[in-house]
Amino acid sequence: MSDRIAASLRRLFEEHRIVFWYDTDRDMRAEFDTIDLPGVTKLDIANNEFGLKYRILREEPNAYFLLFKDGPEPPMPENWLLDVQLATTVFKADQAAIWVAELGLPLQFENVVRAHIGFFGAKPRVEVLKKLLHTSDTQTQMRLKMLAVCAGAEGGLDTVIEALLGDLGAGKDDGLRLIERSGLTDFFWTQVGQAFDYKPGEPDFEDFAISLFQSAYARVLGEDGALNAEALLVFRRWKNNRHWAEAFETLSARYQDLLAIPADLKKRDFRTFVTIDHFEEIDRAIIRQIVQALSAQAVGAPEVLTWVRERRQSHWYSKYEDIYQAIGFATEFQQALAEAHLGITSASEGVQRYVSTWYRLDQLYRKFIYHMQKSGQAQLLSSLYESVENRYTNSYVLAVNDAWQDQVARLSDWKIPGYASQADFYREQAAEYRRKDQKVAVIISDALRFEVAEECLRRIRALDRFDADLKPMISSLPSYTQLGMAALLPHNGLAMAKDGSGDILSGGENTRGLAAREKLLAAGRNGDTAKALKFEDVMNMRVDEGKALFRDNHIIYIYHNRIDAIGDKMQTEELLPEAAEDAIEDLTKLVRKLTSANFSNILITADHGFLYQHHALDESDFAIADPKGEEILFRNRRFVIGRGLSATDGMKHFTAANLGLSGDLDVLIPNSINRMRVKGAGSRFVHGGASLQEIVIPVIRVGKQREADLGQVEVQILVSGRSLISSGQTAVTLYQVQPVSEKMRPREVLAGIYAIDGTLISDEYTLVFDFSSDNSREREMPRKFLLSREADRFNNQDVVLKLRERVGKTRLYQDYATHRFQLRRGITTDFDF
């Protein structure tokens, strides 16, 4: 204790020359005698007041004195040193007095310390409080800061509430018990009552938490709540703070049924709560009602896409992201189909329309199926799925390929004017680099359909310093792997094997396998060194091995097989959408791997495309007639190879010569999207035929740039009218200047209104700007900001709406955009909606 007394006295002598010490209980003489304070003279008060006064004021006017009286302080009329005492200070050696001295507080705060003596039992708490206190603090402000220390909070009453809600969600009551032990419970509930209008007969924190959830829900619906609007603001801040996410989810789940939220939502149109996320059931209700409305085609696509965009700000979005994505892609599909014109007047026009717009329908359908499967909520989305599946199959795939079949039927030879042929790929595209004496890597991804490649193109272009373009090419026919792979190699004419294997020969030699392909590749140009590799082998290479591959070879072919490996098996064909996503990821990684190994010229193409329908096929989807002829050598769902094949109803007949192949074999291709019956083969994923989805294949050219070329979208604050806040809330529009694209990335900001001194005086939002629409109106984000009671202190002053950005992965934020308002509210006691 002597050390603490000495420390307290030293602090007092930092500001005063003379300190009085009254030993009221006459039990501190030993401490006084043992204390050694350098530069301070210790004197007793013992009926020697006049002599003491003369010495300390006249004889030694600059010296430091500790005046000790063995007994209580005398009444003021009898205190002959009162004038000196009032001009200096008094040290009290009891525990409360010591704490007051340690905190550097005036003596009038001693009653606060004595009233809450339990708080000061732990030195760490006292140290934390000491850092928070200011000399200008009132006793109420001191108690509020003591509450913050008890709760482990930083700030005012609102942060105390947040921390206690966090405890409640975690099943703890440490903060509340410390508040009780500190004698702060009555003060706490008085402050809560004044701030939020919570005034029950017997206050209880869980009861307050339930009231908070109920009131916040009611008020955002425009209804009365048990608590005031300040409670809504605190609730929003707490809910939107990622630090409290787990506690919010726990309490929200606990009170959802208690407050009968599911039953209440059933009585409301989801449009009235589409911006609310207080309970997880809200997202489920919104999803159910949107799916019903979409399935019945009772809502327009722009409305649905707006709702889906709005839900991206929901606390629960990550949990339901795949469902919202599925809804979004289904909506875009239906919108695109409604706008599509599926007529074809020539084969060239059919290809041109497919690669400019129609491919997007295949892409949107695939993305819908992928997210539906990933969500695990097929039953919930079943009515929407049936609608999309029916329209995709009958109104698009069948319709467009029936029209396309009319053009195919007119062809004698397999050539589409104006479009590159797969058989010419090596000579016209891969060898183009060799003629310039440049090295090239060719990636051949089995069944990389044009629409999947377009998504892959965007993913590659989104990489820093990468550029790429995509052009269509027409695959060989039949559109199957052996022929497609052979056609992409250097060759002097290809022929179908006559042994029924389906293999393809070049110059009489079989083209199946890496060794055979590498041999053909090396023969493509005198002096060239070439290599044929599997995707996995390249990805497993060390950096030095990759650079050696570039150094030692002029041309390499890399074979990737993700889509066909999954889709072409009956047991796994249902997983085709996931395989397409994985293929895009694979190819993006491979491109980065190759460029790090010094390859700057990269081509990505495919052997063929595919047809895919998720539902099990009906009998009507199969060709009616069985193929007939002299000898059937090879057949699958989409083509027949044989000798002397007869023209058959429902099929297009080609000779080998018609297809640009050597030999005397014939080929039959079922019309449109019809399949043939083949025992044990899958029917959802097929290829080999002449549909647009099978024969339009991609060629992506990838290049590397020297300069960084990625940017982030800009966000502006739009304010209509005067920059004046005259009520408890203000509305602004935040505008994303550019659409998100491959080279323009999204931006995330933290938005809130601040006083000039940096005090947050409104709720705060984490907002993500990732709109991709070219329509500027669809890149606007309206937001309302509620002002807190704290805003009252800054009335008739300027305040600032700030959009702040996180600095890297740190916890720091910096201002991105600001807008200054004048805060001028006539009534500042409560909100006025």
Side-chain angles (χ1 to χ4, degrees):
M1 184 170 178
S2 295
D3 291 340
R4 296 187 69 179
I5 291 172
S8 297
L9 287 168
R10 278 193 292 269
R11 279 192 289 272
L12 291 176
F13 277 113
E14 288 175 2
E15 298 183 16
H16 303 279
R17 187 173 70 87
I18 301 169
V19 175
F20 287 78
W21 181 352
Y22 294 105
D23 184 9
T24 304
D25 298 325
R26 290 184 169 86
D27 59 358
M28 304 297 290
R29 167 58 70 176
E31 279 75 10
F32 173 74
D33 290 341
T34 57
I35 281 174
D36 181 21
L37 300 172
V40 176
T41 301
K42 299 191 297 181
L43 298 173
D44 276 281
I45 304 172
N47 297 319
N48 58 348
E49 287 85 352
F50 181 77
L52 286 176
K53 183 180 291 189
Y54 186 80
R55 178 178 177 179
I56 63 180
L57 297 181
R58 294 302 182 109
E59 292 182 339
E60 300 177 56
N62 298 315
Y64 288 79
F65 295 94
L66 175 60
L67 306 181
F68 180 84
K69 180 174 174 58
D70 187 12
E73 179 182 349
M76 291 178 67
E78 300 173 16
N79 189 348
W80 298 104
L81 294 174
L82 181 60
D83 54 341
V84 179
Q85 181 178 314
L86 292 175
T88 57
T89 190
V90 175
F91 170 69
K92 295 186 178 180
D94 64 86
Q95 196 67 60
I98 291 172
W99 283 324
V100 169
E102 283 188 7
L103 293 168
L105 295 170
L107 285 175
Q108 57 264 36
F109 280 79
E110 187 177 330
N111 65 318
V112 177
V113 176
R114 292 188 187 281
H116 307 293
I117 205 77
F119 175 88
F120 295 90
K123 190 173 181 180
R125 283 202 296 273
V126 178
E127 292 299 321
V128 174
L129 179 63
K130 186 175 178 181
K131 293 175 183 177
L132 296 176
L133 288 175
H134 302 295
T135 55
S136 60
D137 281 343
T138 65
Q139 292 186 14
T140 295
Q141 288 169 329
M142 178 178 173
R143 286 187 169 96
L144 283 170
K145 289 177 179 179
M146 291 166 65
L147 282 177
V149 175
C150 288
E154 297 179 4
L157 182 63
D158 55 344
T159 65
V160 172
I161 295 296
E162 291 177 10
L164 294 177
L165 286 169
D167 278 358
L168 185 61
K172 300 187 299 183
D173 63 352
D174 299 9
L176 285 170
R177 284 193 292 110
L178 184 52
I179 289 171
E180 177 69 31
R181 290 202 308 273
S182 300
L184 287 164
T185 300
D186 289 344
F187 173 78
F188 171 69
W189 287 120
T190 298
Q191 294 298 308
V192 170
Q194 291 173 356
F196 310 119
D197 281 348
Y198 178 71
K199 299 174 182 177
E202 295 183 14
D204 172 80
F205 193 76
E206 180 147 35
D207 179 66
F208 170 77
I210 294 169
S211 299
L212 186 63
F213 271 84
Q214 182 275 329
S215 296
Y217 175 72
R219 282 188 172 271
V220 292
L221 290 169
E223 300 168 3
D224 291 334
L227 306 182
N228 62 18
E230 178 78 6
L232 171 60
L233 179 57
V234 170
F235 180 84
R236 276 188 182 176
R237 280 194 193 170
W238 175 68
K239 175 180 67 69
N240 294 336
N241 189 328
R242 291 173 181 171
H243 178 72
W244 302 117
E246 187 175 347
F248 165 68
E249 290 167 12
T250 299
L251 296 182
S252 179
R254 186 184 303 173
Y255 304 148
Q256 182 170 268
D257 291 330
L258 186 66
L259 295 171
I261 299 300
D264 182 75
L265 292 171
K266 287 179 181 178
K267 298 182 290 186
R268 302 178 187 271
D269 186 298
F270 73 94
R271 294 167 183 82
T272 63
F273 53 83
V274 77
T275 62
I276 306 172
D277 64 347
H278 299 2
F279 301 96
E280 186 178 349
E281 182 62 27
I282 292 173
D283 277 85
R284 292 199 283 260
I286 288 171
I287 288 166
R288 282 192 293 265
Q289 293 194 39
I290 289 180
V291 168
Q292 290 169 3
L294 259 180
S295 303
Q297 298 183 32
V299 288
E303 289 176 285
V304 177
L305 295 176
T306 298
W307 297 327
V308 170
R309 273 203 312 275
E310 182 65 48
R311 295 316 293 173
R312 282 188 302 197
Q313 308 299 329
S314 166
H315 179 90
W316 314 97
Y317 180 74
S318 59
K319 185 171 183 177
Y320 296 99
E321 179 176 2
D322 285 301
I323 299 180
Y324 283 120
Q325 291 271 37
I327 290 171
F329 284 118
T331 304
E332 290 187 66
F333 168 78
Q334 294 187 359
Q335 184 178 38
L337 182 59
E339 296 170 355
H341 302 285
L342 302 180
I344 304 174
T345 59
S346 70
S348 297
E349 183 196 37
V351 174
Q352 188 276 326
R353 286 194 165 191
Y354 183 78
V355 300
S356 60
T357 58
W358 295 341
Y359 79 88
R360 180 76 174 139
L361 290 160
D362 292 311
Q363 191 177 78
L364 292 169
Y365 170 77
R366 172 178 59 82
K367 299 292 282 186
F368 165 70
I369 298 295
Y370 169 73
H371 286 288
M372 181 188 72
Q373 290 177 319
K374 194 178 173 192
S375 75
Q377 296 292 330
Q379 183 60 39
L380 174 64
L381 295 169
S382 60
S383 60
L384 181 58
Y385 163 69
E386 289 170 9
S387 172
V388 170
E389 186 71 53
N390 178 60
R391 301 185 75 195
Y392 176 75
T393 300
N394 297 311
S395 301
Y396 168 59
V397 176
L398 181 60
V400 80
N401 280 297
D402 281 352
W404 170 246
Q405 183 62 40
D406 292 341
Q407 304 305 319
V408 172
R410 296 190 182 103
L411 297 177
S412 53
D413 294 331
W414 182 240
K415 290 280 186 183
I416 309 296
Y419 290 94
S421 171
Q422 187 181 48
D424 300 326
F425 170 79
Y426 176 83
R427 184 179 69 254
E428 294 182 355
Q429 302 199 58
E432 176 188 342
Y433 292 101
R434 299 302 308 125
R435 288 191 287 273
K436 298 175 184 175
D437 202 29
Q438 296 175 355
K439 296 186 177 185
V440 62
V442 177
I443 303 167
I444 303 170
S445 183
D446 202 326
L448 184 69
R449 189 160 73 170
F450 185 85
E451 57 90 1
V452 182
E454 192 276 338
E455 186 177 351
C456 184
L457 171 83
R458 287 186 275 121
R459 189 80 64 86
I460 292 170
R461 282 179 53 81
L463 300 173
D464 194 21
R465 296 200 297 267
F466 278 80
D467 197 12
D469 63 59
L470 169 64
K471 291 184 178 177
M473 182 167 69
I474 306 302
S475 80
S476 300
L477 204 62
S479 55
Y480 75 113
T481 298
Q482 290 93 317
L483 178 55
M485 293 296 185
L488 292 167
L489 293 163
H491 57 82
N492 293 316
L494 301 174
M496 295 176 283
K498 298 180 180 181
D499 60 0
S501 63
D503 289 351
I504 301 297
L505 310 180
S506 176
E509 294 192 19
N510 200 313
T511 62
R512 182 188 286 272
L514 283 180
R517 293 169 186 175
E518 191 171 288
K519 182 179 178 181
L520 281 171
L521 202 53
R525 188 170 183 264
N526 287 336
D528 271 5
T529 52
K531 196 75 177 171
L533 301 134
K534 289 183 179 180
F535 163 79
E536 292 79 8
D537 295 335
V538 177
M539 292 306 296
N540 289 330
M541 284 182 175
R542 301 189 308 268
V543 173
D544 59 323
E545 291 174 328
K547 291 183 176 179
L549 180 69
F550 174 79
R551 182 191 65 224
D552 298 339
N553 296 283
H554 296 97
I555 185 168
I556 65 168
Y557 269 41
I558 302 169
Y559 293 91
H560 171 259
N561 186 9
R562 177 78 74 172
I563 296 173
D564 201 73
I566 296 296
D568 218 7
K569 294 185 180 69
M570 184 169 64
Q571 296 83 357
T572 57
E573 63 179 349
E574 184 178 352
L575 303 177
L576 180 279
E578 181 181 354
E581 297 287 331
D582 291 341
I584 292 167
E585 184 69 19
D586 287 348
L587 295 174
T588 306
K589 289 179 179 176
L590 179 56
V591 163
R592 298 186 73 164
K593 180 91 173 182
L594 290 172
T595 55
S596 68
N598 298 325
F599 285 93
S600 57
N601 301 311
I602 302 171
L603 296 174
I604 304 174
T605 190
D607 50 349
H608 54 77
F610 60 86
L611 282 169
Y612 178 76
Q613 291 151 268
H614 183 65
H615 73 101
L617 270 66
D618 296 325
E619 190 67 23
S620 60
D621 294 307
F622 294 89
I624 296 171
D626 285 330
K628 292 182 174 57
E630 182 180 326
E631 185 180 13
I632 294 176
L633 297 172
F634 186 91
R635 65 181 285 173
N636 76 5
R637 293 286 192 190
R638 290 289 288 158
F639 68 94
V640 179
I641 299 173
R643 183 179 289 105
L645 295 180
S646 306
T648 306
D649 288 342
M651 296 191 189
K652 170 71 175 177
H653 178 274
F654 290 100
T655 65
N658 294 148
L659 299 174
L661 303 172
S662 303
D664 59 354
L665 299 182
D666 298 327
V667 172
L668 290 176
I669 306 286
N671 291 347
S672 188
I673 63 171
N674 289 328
R675 280 87 153 154
M676 287 183 287
R677 297 176 184 83
V678 176
K679 188 175 181 180
S683 60
R684 300 178 184 186
F685 172 95
V686 293
H687 59 85
S691 73
L692 286 165
Q693 288 81 358
E694 294 167 287
I695 58 92
V696 178
I697 56 176
V699 178
I700 300 176
R701 288 176 179 258
V702 181
K704 197 79 161 63
Q705 310 297 314
R706 291 183 179 273
E707 302 294 330
D709 59 356
L710 291 181
Q712 274 185 295
V713 295
E714 299 172 64
V715 179
Q716 296 176 350
I717 302 170
L718 306 181
V719 178
S720 58
R722 298 168 62 195
S723 296
L724 177 69
I725 301 176
S726 58
S727 67
Q729 65 177 337
T730 191
V732 300
T733 297
L734 305 175
Y735 171 59
Q736 180 183 309
V737 178
Q738 309 90 352
V740 166
S741 64
E742 295 91 345
K743 297 299 181 184
M744 196 62 66
R745 290 182 169 176
R747 186 180 293 273
E748 181 178 300
V749 299
L750 199 60
I753 299 176
Y754 292 80
I756 298 300
D757 68 0
T759 302
L760 178 64
I761 60 170
S762 76
D763 46 0
E764 199 169 36
Y765 297 97
T766 298
L767 304 173
V768 178
F769 291 87
D770 58 356
F771 304 131
S772 56
S773 173
D774 289 326
N775 185 338
S776 60
R777 295 304 297 269
E778 293 179 0
R779 299 196 303 274
E780 293 180 357
M781 185 185 292
R783 274 294 173 268
K784 287 183 179 179
F785 292 87
L786 296 180
L787 298 186
S788 65
R789 289 196 311 161
E790 192 77 3
D792 295 353
R793 293 198 295 120
F794 305 96
N795 202 22
N796 297 315
Q797 297 181 28
D798 282 359
V799 296
V800 182
L801 170 61
K802 292 184 179 183
L803 306 185
R804 298 190 300 144
E805 254 187 334
R806 193 172 177 182
V807 179
K809 295 182 179 179
T810 70
R811 297 176 63 187
L812 301 175
Y813 282 81
Q814 61 187 4
D815 290 356
Y816 166 72
T818 61
H819 186 89
R820 191 173 285 244
F821 291 87
Q822 185 178 25
L823 179 60
R824 196 162 68 226
R825 297 166 63 195
I827 300 174
T828 59
T829 55
D830 202 354
F831 295 95
D832 42 345
F833 289 102

